[in-house]
Amino acid sequence: MQSSRSKPCSCPSLKLREVASMYFTMVAAFLVILVVALQGSAPRQSNFPYKVPLDPQGLLELSWNVSYPEQAVHFQLLIRELQFGLLFGMSDRGEFENADLAVLWSDGHNSYFGDAWSDAKGQLHMDSQQDYQLLGARRAPEGLYLLFRRAFSTCDPKDYLIEDGTVHLIYGILEKPVRSLQAINISALHGGLQRVQLLKPNISIPQLPRDMKTMEITAPDVVIPSQETTYWCYMAELPEGFPKHHIIMYEPVVTAGNEALVHHMEVFQCAAHFDSFPLYNGPCDSKMKPERLNYCRHVLAAWAMGAQAFYYPEEAGLAFGGPGSSRYLRLEIHYHNPLVFKGRRDSSGIRLYYTATLRPYDAGIMELGLVYTPVMAIPPGEESFILTGYCTDKCTQLVSAVPSGPAAPQRGKVARGFSLAPGSTNLQAANLKF
């Protein structure tokens, strides 16, 4: 909740609960009128550039945009099969207790919408300050679109403070009519959570060159295993004699209907000192996977649910192809299938945009973090658990830019990033607290 981590702000005094109740009733009536009146086509997708499925079945799809001038997020929630309403909101760790919620519910005759919060016991209360602002509702062939707005910071002690980093979004579906907000039993809801980065950086899109080409690294119509978690590996091969190019952009290619199952994807390049790699296609943890595939760890592209296309700055590109570069690539897809769907086929992957006109700088990707081991397991009963990682001088000695064009940078500097003196002995510590 906002009270535990809010930033100083100047806010008006809280509205009286009677005033909020009147406002709440008017909003409820407004929604009923809107749903009946606004029949037609879906809102334009360009207005909401970020999109993520909330539930494994894809019945709830959230789109949003970020307005930094307004310091607000505009949400568009598509409900494909509306029953008697739903809860949508945010909480510190994805729990339904102590949550900040927007609630749509029906008593079987009328529909209502309002800003609410839940206490430590999961009981719902109407918020005295209505900060989820309903903007409209629209029925379309694919379902009901609900549009609403929420400021980053509301100065309401019952509200969640939207800030940089991961936000735990929660949802619950109402399968029966309820007579009032207080009558909703959170523990009986069919619900879940989705982790997203709501606040996206406001980055301009660079102009792309005319000689740009595309290449798709996609799974070959695989059958997604009927288990909750699968990491699928597929080997691809660049053409013989493929010269050095610069990757300047990449974007996801997700098979229609599988948006809720494809959790994240990566394309790795293999180690150049091997002449060849087996063209494997199967689960990454299978005993049948060739051991040599463990040497395919150089990241070329990475995407996770909710992300958009990635663009390199105009002066840099990620090199692949040419001497000293392996022709072999490994696509890795994480399928998250909690409902254990069977027979679902998938051809998802990543589309690379590349150019033969090399840019002044070779871009690089630095991976920071700790290796997955059982040592990272959080002991039971702990309130907090700290993991510490160190970046030693053996690592920082390697930080230098590789010139690819006429403008060769000085050693120790990288394009549009940070610089480290070669041979630096400073230890960089990263503490992660859970």
Side-chain angles (χ1 to χ4, degrees):
M1 289 295 193
Q2 187 159 304
S3 57
S4 63
R5 51 178 178 163
S6 61
K7 301 175 183 177
C9 57
S10 175
C11 295
S13 59
L14 294 179
K15 303 174 184 177
L16 294 176
R17 188 164 296 276
E18 291 80 11
V19 176
S21 180
M22 291 173 58
Y23 172 81
F24 187 67
T25 303
M26 289 189 293
V27 169
F30 175 58
L31 178 63
V32 175
I33 297 171
L34 272 176
V35 171
V36 173
L38 297 184
Q39 308 285 333
S41 60
R44 290 185 300 170
Q45 292 299 316
S46 59
N47 294 335
F48 300 92
Y50 312 112
K51 182 171 65 176
V52 66
L54 290 182
D55 67 308
Q57 291 179 286
L59 299 178
L60 301 174
E61 183 180 277
L62 180 71
S63 304
W64 72 97
N65 65 43
V66 181
S67 173
Y68 286 100
E70 295 182 26
Q71 291 286 288
V73 180
H74 293 81
F75 295 100
Q76 174 185 277
L77 184 58
L78 169 59
I79 310 167
R80 297 188 187 277
E81 296 181 9
L82 179 64
Q83 299 185 47
F84 292 94
L86 82 157
L87 283 70
F88 166 83
M90 297 165 265
S91 65
D92 285 338
R93 291 179 174 83
E95 65 278 357
F96 276 88
E97 295 76 25
N98 296 316
D100 176 18
L101 300 163
V103 185
L104 170 68
W105 83 92
S106 171
D107 59 9
H109 303 285
N110 295 312
S111 297
Y112 305 89
F113 177 92
D115 185 341
W117 59 276
S118 62
D119 59 28
K121 296 182 179 180
Q123 178 64 48
L124 290 184
H125 305 270
M126 183 177 63
D127 202 328
S128 59
Q129 186 172 317
Q130 294 287 299
D131 293 306
Y132 282 106
Q133 300 172 1
L134 181 66
L135 302 177
R138 182 186 297 273
R139 286 199 182 277
E142 60 270 29
L144 173 69
Y145 285 91
L146 199 62
L147 284 73
F148 51 97
R149 176 187 183 276
R150 171 69 153 70
F152 297 170
S153 176
T154 64
C155 301
D156 183 345
K158 300 300 183 184
D159 282 355
Y160 184 93
L161 175 64
I162 300 176
E163 52 190 350
D164 290 331
T166 301
V167 177
H168 292 78
L169 300 178
I170 56 177
Y171 67 88
I173 298 174
L174 297 177
E175 298 176 334
K176 298 180 180 178
V178 289
R179 64 181 183 277
S180 67
L181 177 76
Q182 290 75 17
I184 297 175
N185 181 7
I186 285 182
S187 62
L189 294 180
H190 167 65
L193 73 93
Q194 182 65 273
R195 298 178 179 90
V196 301
Q197 180 193 24
L198 278 182
L199 301 188
K200 303 288 187 178
N202 190 14
I203 299 176
S204 59
I205 297 177
Q207 186 175 358
L208 299 176
R210 294 183 178 179
D211 66 344
M212 179 183 67
K213 297 181 179 180
T214 63
M215 175 189 302
E216 291 190 0
I217 312 297
T218 57
D221 194 32
V222 305
V223 177
I224 300 175
S226 54
Q227 59 190 35
E228 182 172 351
T229 300
T230 299
Y231 283 85
W232 193 272
C233 286
Y234 167 69
M235 293 294 294
E237 188 176 1
L238 295 175
E240 193 83 45
F242 187 76
K244 180 178 178 180
H245 290 76
H246 269 164
I247 297 172
I248 55 176
M249 169 192 169
Y250 63 82
E251 64 183 357
V253 178
V254 180
T255 298
N258 292 345
E259 292 85 356
L261 301 181
V262 179
H263 185 271
H264 69 266
M265 302 180 286
E266 291 182 271
V267 174
F268 299 96
Q269 190 169 36
C270 300
H273 59 270
F274 290 103
D275 293 332
S276 63
F277 282 82
L279 298 180
Y280 176 75
N281 179 41
C284 299
D285 59 354
S286 171
K287 295 181 179 179
M288 301 299 294
K289 188 192 80 171
E291 185 177 353
R292 184 169 289 189
L293 268 62
N294 295 329
Y295 291 90
C296 304
R297 300 301 306 169
H298 176 60
V299 179
L300 290 185
W303 172 89
M305 187 182 289
Q308 285 192 301
F310 179 86
Y311 296 82
Y312 280 96
E314 293 181 353
E315 67 269 23
L318 188 66
F320 78 133
S325 176
S326 175
R327 294 174 46 232
Y328 295 90
L329 309 177
R330 178 168 67 90
L331 171 68
E332 181 176 300
I333 303 178
H334 173 201
Y335 294 114
H336 180 57
N337 185 13
L339 299 182
V340 194
F341 293 121
K342 296 182 179 180
R344 190 74 68 89
R345 309 192 76 90
D346 186 70
S347 298
S348 298
I350 291 179
R351 181 181 296 116
L352 304 176
Y353 292 75
Y354 63 99
T355 175
T357 305
L358 300 182
R359 294 178 168 185
Y361 295 96
D362 282 346
I365 296 176
M366 175 182 283
E367 295 184 79
L368 299 176
L370 301 178
V371 178
Y372 299 126
T373 71
V375 179
M376 294 176 65
I378 301 175
E382 296 291 325
E383 293 185 359
S384 63
F385 182 65
I386 297 176
L387 295 171
T388 303
Y390 296 96
C391 184
T392 68
D393 60 339
K394 292 182 179 179
C395 173
T396 58
Q397 285 173 356
L398 301 177
V399 179
S400 62
V402 180
S404 63
Q410 295 179 355
R411 179 170 170 80
K413 295 183 179 179
V414 295
R416 195 173 287 185
F418 59 86
S419 63
L420 290 174
S424 170
T425 57
N426 292 334
L427 294 179
Q428 306 291 328
N431 293 321
L432 307 177
K433 189 173 183 179
F434 296 88

